[in-house]
Amino acid sequence: MKTLIIAEKPDMGRNIAAVIEPKAQNRRSYLEGDKFIITWAIGHLIGLAEPDLYDEKYKKWRFGDLPIIPDAFKLLPNPRTKDQLQVIKELAERSNALVNACDAGREGQHIFSLIVRHLGLRQPVKRLWISDLTAETIRKGFDELKDNEEYLNLTRAARARSEADWLIGMNGSRAFTTKHNELLSVGRVQTPVLALIYDRQKQIEAFDSLKFYDITGSFTQAATTYRGIWQGERITDKDKADAIAAKVKGKTGTIASYEVKDTKEYPFKLYDLTLLQREANGKFGFSAKKTLDTAQALYEKHKVISYPRTNSNYVNEQNIPEMHRILDSMRSSSDYGEFVAGANKRFVHTGNKAVCNPSKVEDHHAIMPTMKKPQGLSPDEKKLYDLIVKRFLSHFYPAAEYKVHTVLTEVEQESFKTTVKQLLSLGWKIIYAGDQENSKKDGPKSKDSGKEDSGSGPAQEDEAEETDAPFELDATQSVRCEDAEVKAKETQPPKHYTEGTLLKAMESAGKQIEDDELRDAMKDSGLGTPATRAATIERLKQVGYVDMQGKRIMLTQKGRIAVELIRGAGVELLTSPEMTGQWERRLNEISRGQASADTFMENVKKFTRLIIAKVSDQRPAMKNAFASAEPQAGSKGGKGGKTSGESGKGDAKSAKAGTGASFARSTGTRTAKAAGSAATATAAPPSPGVIAACPRPGCGGQLFMGRKGYGCSNYRTGCGFVIWKESLGRSLTDAMVKSLAEKGKTAKLKFGGQDGEEPFEARISLTNPVTGELALERV
């Protein structure tokens, strides 16, 4: 009998067959040689069964049937690929051994284990674990086949991940959907990612722009000219700024301090999948899914890069000689031969911890090119391949060298700071010198993918000015201030997430971590895995929670209300990026044999029951809660328009009262900037008038009306109380809000009478004096 090899996809199966059974006969759905039969899974052939296969009653979604927690999970073949599953079954019947050649990772292990479980296969299993699909690697992999039992913990972790997602997704989605009469998708990973987007949107809406003035002085000393930024507390009075500029212009000054320091900048880390997705999004506008699909094609179809679904930026010691051979293989390349000629292998060695760090390599090393020459790449494949090759080549070059000059100039007792970054040697940056984008933007420490503007201040005024010209000053000699310029600036709100910045947030479970080592330590606690993050973002689009405007991810009304309902039910853990990241860490510990899958699943079941109990006590959302009152900041459409994926039900004016600390104000003296909001006032808004005392306990502030609602005067010091003007199907008046603040409810009001709904009377009541959340009380 023969050995049956099961690959994950057809291309991978054919690549393997070409190496170990080059004369194998092609039977369309498998290849057969003298010793081996090679077939494939076409991705997931088997999944977890839907609830109605446990009981017919689950065909209808009813809250009373929840929670659904099977004693044992049932498996169900994918009807679209059941023919291939039957092929595997028949081939296994005439094989006495199996080789798991699915992708070398958690999901690949899961795909194979589901096939074995469902078909009841009992043959001994070996594991092929390789990082690229070159002939040399495949041959070596078969020479070093592992016992599949070595990956038992990884299989347990994969199964726990799948079953946990089923429990949270099936029960959470059914609970919130049936309670609030709107199709609401809930997931172990997707919901906290949605919460990240929601919280960023709230920060943007709550942001109040502050106008301030920068003063820039232009100085000369002999043949040297330079510019300096005035140092002092932020100036918000233009007359004061103009006075300082006039005071120093044309005057002689001194150099209070002058420091010169030699610095080096080393190449950025090799790519893992998330970093590659982030940079492809920033440079080319690729979605995370597009980058993953393109990288998978480079790996599987073209075999020109190593395994892409990796979370490591480093290589093992045995990869160093391989890197040297890959470099040699590129010497004749028309695109990269010139760079190879200038490369030096001595920079890539086992002692270089920026490249070789085995302690940070688990299943797979960083993404690298292979020795195979690329042929027939599409334009998008070429772009991604170019990123990977240049990052690889940069490590064979020395550091870029600079001389950093820091100058403090004093004129008429006013100080100006100058930082000049003088280039001495390009080093590795010569590889990027011809790119349209500045090489500064080519790594995780750059502005492009590093710290984001939090809205707490202006842009980086003291950023170094780069030059390759000589720069020299004599600190003992005077300088002249030739000119002084005043520029008006405004503080900026946080930026909307792009797919690139959202991936970064998912990797660190929402924490703003700039330190590379700390970010590496958080990788086990990220939201999802490198292989699943793109699918999570796509899911949020598909269910109508987010919409895209260019590169920006925009929250829809449905996405907003979904987060508020979930948090309002008291299951904040379901929206907590950090806590959900800890679940991912536990799964990683299970895969390493450091934690129990059974214990993890018991905790997930407890949490599932908690979700149902909490939602049971929640009041249903109003009929019109999911209709969009106006587009979210920067979204498509005009006032009253519906964003992509929303239900479109009910009166477009109606939206459930918000529960976050956001109050975008627009008054006669101050305008709140809402990051490109499409909803701009058509007439001058009213001057603020006090409506009532803020009902938030211990606050002491006053409520006044802004453009969208009634907020507290103490919002700057943390009061999150807000009542939206358009709430619960009514446009609230000042008198209604005053009554809500002082009495906790309005007088009787008439509701209904539209779309066949029976009219009824009710009062609007203030259910949460901390946030301003409202509800209806029928009378």
Side-chain angles (χ1 to χ4, degrees):
M1 299 183 80
K2 298 177 182 180
T3 296
L4 176 63
I5 299 168
I6 303 176
E8 188 162 324
K9 294 179 182 176
D11 279 349
M12 180 181 288
R14 295 186 186 104
N15 288 332
I16 291 170
V19 175
I20 65 167
E21 284 281 13
K23 296 181 180 180
Q25 292 184 307
N26 190 343
R27 308 289 191 186
R28 197 172 66 83
S29 54
Y30 66 96
L31 296 105
E32 185 165 0
D34 294 335
K35 295 182 179 179
F36 299 101
I37 306 172
I38 303 99
T39 190
W40 38 82
I42 322 178
H44 283 270
L45 298 183
I46 299 163
L48 297 180
E50 294 287 318
D52 57 49
L53 286 184
Y54 296 90
D55 194 314
E56 281 285 321
K57 69 180 181 181
Y58 295 137
K59 283 187 175 179
K60 290 186 177 180
W61 287 30
R62 288 185 288 256
F63 192 91
D65 292 334
L66 302 176
I68 306 170
I69 302 178
D71 294 328
F73 285 85
K74 295 182 179 181
L75 301 181
L76 182 69
N78 184 335
R80 291 177 297 179
T81 55
K82 63 181 181 181
D83 291 344
Q84 184 63 19
L85 184 62
Q86 182 64 27
V87 167
I88 294 175
K89 179 181 179 181
E90 293 171 359
L91 294 175
E93 288 173 353
R94 55 191 186 92
S95 303
N96 61 356
L98 305 176
V99 173
N100 176 4
C102 293
D103 277 359
R106 190 169 76 187
E107 287 310 298
Q109 195 70 15
H110 188 49
I111 287 170
F112 182 85
S113 68
L114 288 176
I115 293 171
V116 170
R117 281 171 56 199
H118 181 71
L119 296 180
L121 304 183
R122 295 289 180 265
Q123 295 92 330
V125 180
K126 294 292 185 181
R127 183 54 155 120
L128 176 69
W129 192 274
I130 55 177
S131 289
D132 63 62
L133 290 172
T134 59
E136 180 185 5
T137 301
I138 292 171
R139 198 172 289 113
K140 185 178 179 183
F142 272 91
D143 289 340
E144 300 173 353
L145 286 174
K146 309 286 187 182
D147 193 316
N148 199 56
E149 289 297 307
E150 294 182 28
Y151 299 91
L152 186 58
N153 288 323
L154 186 63
T155 304
R156 288 173 178 149
R159 181 171 179 171
R161 192 279 309 161
S162 176
E163 293 178 357
D165 284 350
W166 192 98
L167 287 172
I168 299 298
M170 289 293 180
N171 286 283
S173 297
R174 288 185 176 221
F176 282 99
T177 295
T178 54
K179 188 70 174 182
H180 303 294
N181 199 30
E182 177 77 16
L183 186 59
L184 296 174
S185 177
V186 173
R188 183 182 63 88
V189 176
Q190 79 171 44
T191 303
V193 174
L194 177 63
L196 285 176
I197 299 167
Y198 173 92
D199 291 339
R200 176 62 59 87
Q201 180 73 35
K202 284 293 192 181
Q203 292 171 8
I204 293 169
E205 290 172 358
F207 182 80
D208 270 330
S209 180
L210 175 68
K211 194 170 186 178
F212 65 97
Y213 298 90
D214 260 0
I215 308 167
T216 304
S218 299
F219 306 98
T220 60
Q221 185 190 80
T224 302
T225 63
Y226 64 98
R227 292 159 60 83
I229 302 294
W230 180 80
Q231 301 297 290
E233 291 190 7
R234 181 182 289 159
I235 298 176
T236 56
D237 184 337
K238 187 176 187 302
D239 291 340
K240 181 179 178 181
D242 287 338
I244 293 173
K247 176 182 175 184
V248 300
K249 186 175 180 180
K251 302 294 177 59
T252 298
T254 60
I255 297 177
S257 66
Y258 179 29
E259 294 181 0
V260 182
K261 184 171 68 173
D262 290 327
T263 63
K264 293 182 177 181
E265 289 186 11
Y266 293 91
F268 298 116
K269 293 186 297 185
L270 294 169
Y271 286 118
D272 62 8
L273 177 59
T274 303
L275 182 56
L276 183 64
Q277 288 171 317
R278 282 167 45 194
E279 296 203 6
N281 180 255
K283 285 178 177 291
F284 312 129
F286 288 3
S287 68
K289 183 179 186 299
K290 181 174 182 176
T291 299
L292 175 57
D293 291 346
T294 305
Q296 193 69 22
L298 290 172
Y299 164 68
E300 194 171 289
K301 179 182 176 183
H302 300 288
K303 300 184 283 294
V304 293
I305 67 168
S306 63
Y307 184 74
R309 301 181 184 218
T310 175
N311 69 344
S312 176
N313 305 101
Y314 305 93
V315 302
N316 289 308
E317 292 178 353
Q318 60 265 35
N319 298 124
I320 297 300
E322 179 188 0
M323 292 180 73
H324 291 175
R325 290 193 296 273
I326 294 168
L327 181 72
D328 289 335
S329 73
M330 292 182 174
R331 291 194 184 279
S332 60
S333 167
S334 58
D335 293 320
Y336 307 109
E338 182 182 348
F339 297 134
V340 175
N344 193 325
K345 293 179 183 176
R346 70 181 177 86
F347 291 112
V348 176
H349 54 85
T350 56
N352 181 352
K353 294 302 180 186
V355 176
C356 182
N357 195 336
S359 67
K360 294 185 178 181
V361 180
E362 290 190 8
D363 297 337
H364 301 285
H365 58 67
I367 303 172
M368 301 190 300
T370 67
M371 289 189 286
K372 191 173 189 304
K373 290 180 171 57
Q375 291 182 330
L377 302 187
S378 70
D380 288 342
E381 289 168 346
K382 284 181 180 177
K383 287 179 181 178
L384 208 63
Y385 181 70
D386 186 69
L387 281 183
I388 294 165
V389 171
K390 286 184 175 177
R391 181 61 60 92
F392 170 82
L393 291 173
S394 70
H395 287 275
F396 290 91
Y397 276 75
E401 297 182 9
Y402 295 89
K403 196 179 286 289
V404 179
H405 305 258
T406 306
V407 187
L408 197 63
T409 306
E410 285 193 0
V411 183
E412 297 293 313
Q413 298 181 323
E414 303 292 346
S415 294
F416 295 81
K417 185 178 179 181
T418 303
T419 305
V420 174
K421 194 175 177 182
Q422 180 189 349
L423 176 66
L424 302 178
S425 172
L426 266 178
W428 62 273
K429 292 190 176 183
I430 194 170
I431 292 173
Y432 299 96
D435 289 3
Q436 289 183 347
E437 300 236 355
N438 190 302
S439 63
K440 281 195 305 181
K441 296 183 178 181
D442 207 65
K445 295 179 184 176
S446 68
K447 288 197 299 179
D448 182 57
S449 52
K451 187 178 291 186
E452 296 176 40
D453 189 346
S454 65
S456 59
Q460 309 258 340
E461 306 104 322
D462 294 335
E463 201 171 303
E465 177 184 340
E466 291 196 21
T467 179
D468 55 5
F471 183 87
E472 188 174 357
L473 290 174
D474 185 344
T476 65
Q477 300 297 313
S478 63
V479 300
R480 176 178 171 80
C481 180
E482 301 291 349
D483 195 11
E485 182 182 13
V486 174
K487 281 187 178 179
K489 294 189 176 183
E490 289 184 345
T491 54
Q492 298 299 308
K495 296 176 182 177
H496 286 280
Y497 279 118
T498 64
E499 289 202 25
T501 56
L502 182 59
L503 284 166
K504 177 184 175 183
M506 292 171 72
E507 187 177 43
S508 55
K511 289 189 174 181
Q512 293 298 313
I513 299 174
E514 301 307 320
D515 184 271
D516 281 346
E517 290 188 12
L518 285 178
R519 192 182 299 119
D520 283 342
M522 281 295 294
K523 281 190 175 183
D524 276 357
S525 302
L527 294 176
T529 68
T532 61
R533 286 172 190 143
T536 298
I537 295 173
E538 290 301 310
R539 176 69 178 162
L540 293 176
K541 298 175 189 176
Q542 291 163 4
V543 299
Y545 286 159
V546 301
D547 199 2
M548 298 301 297
Q549 187 183 56
K551 289 184 181 180
R552 298 190 300 174
I553 299 174
M554 311 303 298
L555 187 72
T556 66
Q557 177 72 1
K558 183 176 181 180
R560 178 189 292 270
I561 298 299
V563 174
E564 292 177 351
L565 287 174
I566 293 167
R567 285 178 170 167
V571 283
E572 291 85 353
L573 177 63
L574 194 52
T575 64
S576 167
E578 192 168 346
M579 288 301 296
T580 308
Q582 294 303 319
W583 294 1
E584 199 67 50
R585 170 174 283 187
R586 188 72 66 222
L587 288 168
N588 281 311
E589 290 172 348
I590 292 168
S591 71
R592 294 191 288 263
Q594 299 167 348
S596 164
D598 290 341
T599 301
F600 173 79
M601 288 305 301
E602 283 304 314
N603 288 332
V604 172
K605 290 174 183 177
K606 287 179 185 177
F607 185 59
T608 301
R609 295 185 183 98
L610 175 66
I611 293 173
I612 305 307
K614 291 289 188 179
V615 177
S616 177
D617 294 336
Q618 192 175 32
R619 292 186 180 185
M622 291 298 298
K623 177 182 177 182
N624 300 323
F626 296 90
S628 179
E630 56 183 289
Q632 305 305 313
S635 63
K636 300 173 185 175
K639 188 172 182 180
K642 297 177 182 66
T643 54
S644 169
E646 291 178 25
S647 66
K649 293 179 182 178
D651 182 354
K653 281 186 176 182
S654 177
K656 187 174 176 67
T659 58
S662 69
F663 184 58
R665 298 171 175 81
S666 178
T667 67
T669 58
R670 181 172 64 251
T671 302
K673 302 294 181 183
S677 173
T680 53
T682 56
S687 297
V690 174
I691 305 299
C694 178
R696 182 172 179 260
C699 174
Q702 303 291 325
L703 297 185
F704 65 95
M705 192 185 83
R707 181 164 59 90
K708 293 184 179 181
Y710 299 81
C712 178
S713 59
N714 286 344
Y715 73 97
R716 287 185 182 276
T717 55
C719 181
F721 185 91
V722 56
I723 294 176
W724 300 109
K725 187 170 182 62
E726 304 293 336
S727 293
L728 303 174
R730 299 297 291 256
S731 183
L732 303 188
T733 64
D734 291 357
M736 290 179 187
V737 174
K738 180 178 176 66
S739 182
L740 284 166
E742 294 177 352
K743 302 177 183 177
K745 60 183 66 177
T746 64
K748 286 190 291 188
L749 303 168
K750 290 185 178 180
F751 290 85
Q754 297 179 353
D755 299 327
E757 184 182 8
E758 287 290 326
F760 63 94
E761 288 189 335
R763 290 186 174 91
I764 298 175
S765 65
L766 178 64
T767 60
N768 191 334
V770 175
T771 64
E773 186 174 3
L774 306 178
L776 284 186
E777 287 183 1
R778 295 201 181 209
V779 292

